[in-house]
Amino acid sequence: MKKDQVLRFSIQGLRCAGCVNSLENALQKSEGIVAATVNYAEHVATVQGYVSPEEIIMVIVEAGYEAALIVDNDPLDNRAEQEQHDYRELVDKAVMPAIFALPLMLYGQVNGLPDMVSWSGRFFWLFIALMTLVCLIYSGKHFYLGAYRSWQHRQANMDTLVALGTGSSWLYSVAVLILGEKLPHLGQHAYFEAALFILIFLNLGSAIEIRARGKTSSAIRKLINLQPKTARLVRDGLELDVAIADVLVGDLVRVRPGEKLAVDGSVISGLGIVDESMLTGEAIPVEKNVGATVKAGTLNIQGSFLYQADRVGQETLLAQVVETVLQAQSAKPAIARLADKVAAIFVPVVVVIAMGVFGVWFYFGPQPALGYAFVTAMTVLVIACPCALGLATPISVMVAVGRAAQAGILIRNGEVLQTVGQVSCVIFDKTGTITEGKPEVVAVKALNHFSTEHVLQWAASLEVGSEHVLATSVLRAAKDKNLAPLAVTDFQMRLGLGVTGLIDGQQAVLGNQALIEDLGLNMDTSKEVLQQSYAEGYTVMILAVNAEVVGILGVSDPVKVDSAKAIQQLQALGIRVMMLTGDHDNTARAIADKVAIDDFRAQCLPGDKLAIIEALQAGGEVVAMVGDGINDAPALMQADVGVAVGSGADIAIESADFIILQGSLLKMNQAITLSKAALMNIKQNLWGAFIYNALSIPVAAGLFYPAFGFLLSPIIASAAMALSSLTVVANANRLRWVNLTDQNND
């Protein structure tokens, strides 16, 4: 196993946040494992390290849980089947004890049950004890085995509380049955139905929780279901349907109206209108003609075209989006670690509290003291199970990450979800971020002995080896004029400045004014032309050959139609907005004026952007950097939140925490909106879980008995505990309906 390889395992046996904490500790302490997180909402462990899957599974088993490697990028179908099986099993485990517990409770309410002293009564209660034991084994076996495994590892979790609560109620009732008249009359009471109802509510609550949890994965399920099972290949003039797994890079794929695209590729003939909203969140279909790129999972609405497969299998954008979302959903924001620490000591504390409650009631309570002591201690054990605490954060993260994916916002780092809502300053790159990133060469001015064709041809020759967005415009302009690139040797890229190389043995330089000045080249003959180009708002590229400026290229890159609106929305939220660009001051000012940015810095090298972000952070700002170029990568990594535009360079995307799959900057505002909603949701869940336990434990211990004569029944306690978990799941699912269209929640 490689260090950078991330493996995912489905886990069985997780009951609460305490289980998560103990399993994470076991994994993180194992030799060869670099990082490990356990997601209680998904019941999935994500592990990175040097050890084999078999060794990881062994560690998990030794920690008291069962595990299976998720071997493909489509684990949800298998998990859905497993969840359906678990759901039916839990319902059965709730129904069986209910068959015996309901009549027992109803007859008890009308005093229709025999006493526990007479011989006939004892035979009846002996039968009830045996049937209760059968129900406990059938419906509670998983709790008791879990408690035993936890005990073996010197740990305590939810299973411990349930096993103590139900097991002690059965043992106490049997003791009452055996001792009979030796006990005071008021103490002659059995709690068989209480033990059964505890299991009924816990199993039924878990079943409903599984069903509700399944809805949190609806977004990722929709993404997975986007990809069709087959593709129509064209081979030797024949069209045939093959399985997706059989499509190879270079294959020709035919797409007809109403069909989903099977793999990523490039259109080579035909024309189609493609709906990409499932990946980008943008509802307007896009026209695809020859040369256009298409993505797996998108829908061809109209027309038919033939395209060549460029990326297949796990290399398609859809597969990468799914994998990224799955990993992001497993991440833990900082706020979640607090819950984990609390959960690690919660169950042992509850056991101690229950023992204390028992002692207080036994020594200071009214008669029958033993009965009161037992009931209150059992109620404390049952009501305090920390399920809601374990679900509070991961369930909200799962829903939020999935909701973001539906909106065309790919969250690569789930931990940063907490930070986005705290952003106080957003920095935008210019080219390809605020602007379309599709610049066109609109002016070529030749100087000295060069012609405009020579200037364009030499510039294009140097840009063949460059990945900058401006290079594309130069190459396209040269191609339109049928100017073939010349051979270039000794090519070098000067990050943020330009490129250099040898053409026909002559030293050629193409870059911005900063590069020309840095090389000490004479610009006297070009100053007037240069200033005119800046005045027209062009991005200027200067070509120099043998230390002499021979040409100037003016490039125009239109501003995206919604950039100004997106920036206005951010400013309305009180967020500081800046623009950093390597372009000349005049060009930067022209773009800044169009989008109403007052604070901008021009002629910024990658190091300058990095220094500016560091200075802002030192001043207390929480900084988000939005960019798309290679030169943005250092700034994206330094920023508290790095946001890459999906059309940008791979290195920029790899450096980012968020990826905007479609270039609209309105997505930045939507990401902030969703992050704030998710963080609020997590806080609601955590506070709800803490308040529930803070209030329920004193009530269960008998807080209201002295004043009102009220004691909480263990049956009600088990229902309350199950309801607390369902409340957390229901609250998290509200994030599925957060309004991200246009301006936040207007």
Side-chain angles (χ1 to χ4, degrees):
M1 179 178 175
K2 298 178 181 178
K3 178 182 177 181
D4 58 354
Q5 183 179 2
V6 177
L7 298 179
R8 293 163 54 83
F9 299 84
S10 61
I11 309 295
Q12 290 189 351
L14 293 177
R15 306 278 185 232
C16 63
C19 302
V20 171
N21 190 74
S22 62
L23 181 53
E24 281 187 349
N25 287 338
L27 288 168
Q28 291 168 355
K29 290 177 182 177
S30 298
E31 186 177 354
I33 293 179
V34 176
T37 58
V38 179
N39 187 310
Y40 178 52
E42 287 188 295
H43 288 211
V44 167
T46 304
V47 184
Q48 179 181 0
Y50 299 98
V51 292
S52 66
E54 292 75 19
E55 291 175 289
I56 295 172
I57 290 176
M58 189 179 300
V59 172
I60 295 172
V61 171
E62 288 177 354
Y65 306 94
E66 297 178 20
L69 177 66
I70 298 174
V71 295
D72 54 30
N73 204 22
D74 187 5
L76 293 182
D77 286 343
N78 296 333
R79 197 188 315 160
E81 294 177 7
Q82 182 63 44
E83 286 179 351
Q84 186 62 28
H85 173 270
D86 293 343
Y87 173 79
R88 289 193 299 265
E89 187 176 61
L90 287 168
V91 169
D92 290 342
K93 288 181 177 181
V95 169
M96 179 183 172
I99 294 173
F100 298 97
L102 285 172
L104 197 62
M105 183 185 71
L106 293 174
Y107 274 104
Q109 293 297 315
V110 296
N111 295 320
L113 298 174
D115 59 55
M116 303 185 71
V117 179
S118 65
W119 283 105
S120 60
R122 287 195 177 190
F123 275 114
F124 170 81
W125 284 107
L126 179 61
F127 171 75
I128 295 298
L130 291 174
M131 294 309 301
T132 301
L133 181 61
V134 172
C135 290
L136 292 181
I137 293 173
Y138 174 75
S139 298
K141 180 181 177 181
H142 50 298
F143 294 120
Y144 304 130
L145 288 177
Y148 175 70
R149 285 194 294 261
S150 295
W151 175 257
Q152 285 182 312
H153 293 87
R154 302 296 184 268
Q155 296 169 351
N157 58 15
M158 170 188 161
D159 292 337
T160 307
L161 300 181
V162 175
L164 286 173
T166 58
S168 60
S169 67
W170 187 85
L171 290 173
Y172 177 85
S173 301
V174 171
V176 171
L177 180 60
I178 294 172
L179 295 175
E181 293 179 332
K182 295 179 182 180
L183 291 174
H185 178 70
L186 291 175
Q188 296 173 9
H189 183 78
Y191 295 94
F192 293 122
E193 79 280 6
L196 293 176
F197 270 105
I198 289 171
L199 292 182
I200 290 169
F201 282 119
L202 291 183
N203 284 314
L204 190 60
S206 296
I208 298 172
E209 181 186 310
I210 285 176
R211 183 60 60 89
R213 261 201 341 247
K215 294 180 180 179
T216 66
S217 299
S218 60
I220 191 68
R221 289 184 197 277
K222 288 178 182 178
L223 283 174
I224 289 173
N225 292 332
L226 287 177
Q227 190 168 48
K229 303 298 182 184
T230 61
R232 181 172 291 105
L233 299 190
V234 178
R235 290 176 177 168
D236 300 324
L238 300 176
E239 295 187 6
L240 63 156
D241 291 333
V242 301
I244 289 291
D246 296 330
V247 180
L248 305 175
V249 173
D251 279 342
L252 300 181
V253 185
R254 170 72 66 188
V255 179
R256 296 185 296 195
E259 292 182 339
K260 291 180 180 179
L261 279 70
V263 294
D264 293 358
S266 306
V267 178
I268 60 173
S269 68
L271 175 68
I273 306 296
V274 178
D275 179 4
E276 297 182 327
S277 61
M278 55 286 296
L279 282 180
T280 66
E282 297 301 317
I284 302 175
V286 181
E287 182 177 294
K288 300 291 183 180
N289 47 29
V290 176
T293 59
V294 290
K295 305 297 181 183
T298 55
L299 177 65
N300 182 37
I301 299 175
Q302 183 180 342
S304 177
F305 57 87
L306 190 68
Y307 74 98
Q308 179 176 291
D310 295 334
R311 294 193 292 185
V312 300
Q314 302 306 309
E315 299 301 318
T316 65
L317 175 62
L318 175 61
Q320 291 175 6
V321 167
V322 170
E323 178 61 26
T324 300
V325 170
L326 288 171
Q327 290 187 23
Q329 286 181 332
S330 298
K332 289 189 177 182
I335 195 171
R337 298 188 181 95
L338 172 62
D340 288 349
K341 290 178 181 178
V342 171
I345 61 171
F346 187 80
V347 173
V349 169
V350 168
V351 173
V352 172
I353 291 174
M355 293 170 63
V357 168
F358 183 93
V360 169
W361 278 93
F362 184 77
Y363 288 107
F364 305 105
Q367 291 299 323
L370 180 62
Y372 280 119
F374 170 73
V375 170
T376 51
M378 180 171 63
T379 306
V380 168
L381 289 172
V382 172
I383 205 168
C385 293
C387 302
L389 195 61
L391 281 171
T393 299
I395 203 79
S396 297
V397 171
M398 282 179 64
V399 179
V401 171
R403 179 70 181 88
Q406 285 183 317
I409 304 166
L410 182 57
I411 300 176
R412 296 183 66 246
N413 179 3
E415 293 183 42
V416 85
L417 189 65
Q418 181 176 340
T419 310
V420 180
Q422 302 167 351
V423 165
S424 60
C425 177
V426 177
I427 296 176
F428 291 103
D429 175 48
K430 180 180 72 69
T431 304
T433 303
I434 292 177
T435 63
E436 288 285 358
K438 298 176 182 178
E440 298 290 337
V441 176
V442 294
V444 179
K445 300 176 181 179
L447 301 172
N448 300 321
H449 57 283
F450 263 59
S451 65
T452 56
E453 286 78 9
H454 279 126
V455 170
L456 189 57
Q457 185 179 34
W458 279 58
S461 303
L462 289 169
E463 292 287 32
V464 168
S466 173
E467 296 182 9
H468 195 278
V469 66
L470 295 178
T472 305
S473 64
V474 176
L475 291 169
R476 187 165 52 244
K479 183 179 179 181
D480 290 344
K481 293 187 175 296
N482 296 317
L483 299 173
L486 304 172
V488 178
T489 59
D490 198 23
F491 174 84
Q492 290 185 353
M493 180 180 295
R494 301 285 295 274
L495 200 60
L497 296 172
V499 293
T500 64
L502 292 175
I503 300 177
D504 292 336
Q506 301 181 74
Q507 182 66 45
V509 176
L510 179 68
N512 55 27
Q513 185 174 342
L515 175 60
I516 303 302
E517 292 174 347
D518 186 53
L519 295 174
L521 304 185
N522 189 345
M523 298 180 60
D524 291 341
T525 59
S526 61
K527 279 186 177 180
E528 185 178 343
V529 176
L530 195 60
Q531 290 304 320
Q532 182 182 354
S533 298
Y534 286 137
E536 292 173 355
Y538 296 152
T539 295
V540 174
M541 305 173 72
I542 304 171
L543 176 68
V545 177
N546 292 335
E548 180 183 26
V549 175
V550 296
I552 293 175
L553 292 85
V555 179
S556 178
D557 186 11
V559 173
K560 292 176 182 176
V561 293
D562 51 14
S563 288
K565 183 178 182 180
I567 290 164
Q568 181 185 12
Q569 289 181 0
L570 291 171
Q571 292 169 335
L573 291 174
I575 295 174
R576 179 181 181 181
V577 178
M578 295 179 62
M579 183 181 76
L580 305 182
T581 177
D583 220 330
H584 191 272
D585 184 77
N586 288 350
T587 306
R589 186 179 301 278
I591 298 298
D593 288 343
K594 288 181 181 179
V595 295
I597 293 180
D598 297 324
D599 193 355
F600 69 91
R601 315 288 168 83
Q603 294 180 299
C604 290
L605 298 176
D608 298 328
K609 294 182 180 181
L610 192 65
I612 290 170
I613 292 175
E614 289 174 340
L616 289 168
Q617 290 171 327
E621 299 273 13
V622 179
V623 181
M625 172 71 195
V626 187
D628 77 325
I630 293 175
N631 59 328
D632 296 322
L636 289 171
M637 295 185 71
Q638 175 61 36
D640 298 286
V641 181
V643 183
V645 178
S647 57
D650 289 343
I651 189 171
I653 292 174
E654 286 300 315
S655 304
D657 302 303
F658 276 55
I659 301 169
I660 297 173
L661 295 177
Q662 196 270 351
S664 172
L665 295 188
L666 289 170
K667 300 293 183 186
M668 184 65 211
N669 198 39
Q670 293 175 7
I672 291 174
T673 299
L674 183 60
S675 172
K676 288 183 176 180
L679 187 58
M680 178 62 69
N681 195 272
I682 290 171
K683 288 179 178 178
Q684 290 169 350
N685 284 343
L686 286 174
W687 275 111
F690 281 126
I691 291 171
Y692 163 79
N693 283 294
L695 295 179
S696 64
I697 291 177
V699 172
L703 177 67
F704 295 135
Y705 186 82
F708 305 103
F710 170 76
L711 271 183
L712 193 65
S713 163
I715 297 173
I716 302 300
S718 61
M721 193 278 288
L723 185 62
S724 69
S725 296
L726 296 178
T727 303
V728 165
V729 175
N731 187 52
N733 271 291
R734 292 192 308 114
L735 290 171
R736 296 166 61 196
W737 294 284
V738 172
N739 183 11
L740 298 181
T741 57
D742 230 13
Q743 173 58 38
N744 298 338
N745 297 312
D746 283 354

